[in-house]
Amino acid sequence: FLSRLLIILGFLLLAGAGGLAIYNAWDDQRAGDEVDSVIEPLEQVMDPQLFGNPDGDQEGLTPEQLNQAIYLNQELWELYPETAMPTAEINGKRYVGMLRVPSLGLNLPIMEKWSYPNLRKAPCVYTGSAYMNNLTICGHNYTRHFGRLHRLDAGTEIIFTDMAEN
């Protein structure tokens, strides 16, 4: 009787581990899809051809986009580094910029404020500001987020582009 009970218990533990592995793979894929849905709209907002170019063609821009272009004056951020970093809203969430790790092929949107639900979507600002040189970004170890950072060597190029850098 005891051996059958142990076999059943072992089977249940293996099934639970398999279920957990499947859930983790699904959650990793979902997080990657979330990042993919934000990259293109965020890059469009950050496009220097639309913003920060007074001689550029601004015809057809919405009033919100024009206000954002005025808001994204980098000289003001350099003069007043304690000011909050500018953001853009995509799909109801606010982002401060993009983090790129060319050697890993990573291109990640960075959310304005961290929370556990936000971390399930994209890396987030944990504390600090790029203008104060104390920006700390946190993220999950999803494959499409920070899961491959252990492969980096010291001195690897990592590029953070905020909403004011045109």
Side-chain angles (χ1 to χ4, degrees):
F1 171 77
L2 184 59
S3 64
R4 287 185 185 172
L5 183 62
L6 289 175
I7 290 172
I8 291 171
L9 180 61
F11 176 76
L12 290 174
L13 288 173
L14 285 174
L20 186 57
I22 290 169
Y23 172 79
N24 285 341
W26 169 82
D27 200 33
D28 195 327
Q29 179 64 42
R30 180 208 44 77
D33 292 345
E34 184 77 31
V35 164
D36 289 343
S37 73
V38 173
I39 297 270
E40 186 176 330
L42 192 58
E43 284 178 340
Q44 288 175 356
V45 172
M46 296 173 74
D47 186 351
Q49 299 303 314
L50 294 177
F51 300 101
N53 181 1
D55 300 322
D57 180 15
Q58 296 179 343
E59 190 173 323
L61 295 180
T62 66
E64 182 179 278
Q65 288 172 319
L66 287 173
N67 285 338
Q68 186 77 359
I70 294 166
Y71 181 64
L72 297 180
N73 183 334
Q74 185 168 357
E75 290 177 10
L76 291 177
W77 302 112
E78 290 172 358
L79 290 172
Y80 304 102
E82 67 281 353
T83 304
M85 293 169 50
T87 62
E89 185 173 326
I90 310 290
N91 299 335
K93 298 289 183 182
R94 301 207 66 79
Y95 295 85
V96 296
M98 299 283 288
L99 184 72
R100 290 183 175 85
V101 185
S103 65
L104 296 179
L106 281 179
N107 192 17
L108 298 167
I110 304 300
M111 296 181 85
E112 176 185 35
K113 295 181 181 177
W114 90 273
S115 69
Y116 290 113
N118 284 351
L119 284 176
R120 295 190 74 220
K121 296 177 181 0
C124 306
V125 171
Y126 181 71
T127 187
S129 167
Y131 308 128
M132 298 288 288
N133 292 321
N134 64 353
L135 179 64
T136 304
I137 297 172
C138 61
H140 263 294
N141 65 341
Y142 296 130
T143 304
R144 291 284 314 282
H145 289 187
F146 289 164
R148 296 179 289 147
L149 291 184
H150 66 280
R151 297 180 184 168
L152 296 179
D153 294 323
T156 300
E157 180 181 41
I158 298 175
I159 304 161
F160 175 73
T161 305
D162 71 319
M163 298 304 298
E165 286 189 39
N166 291 320

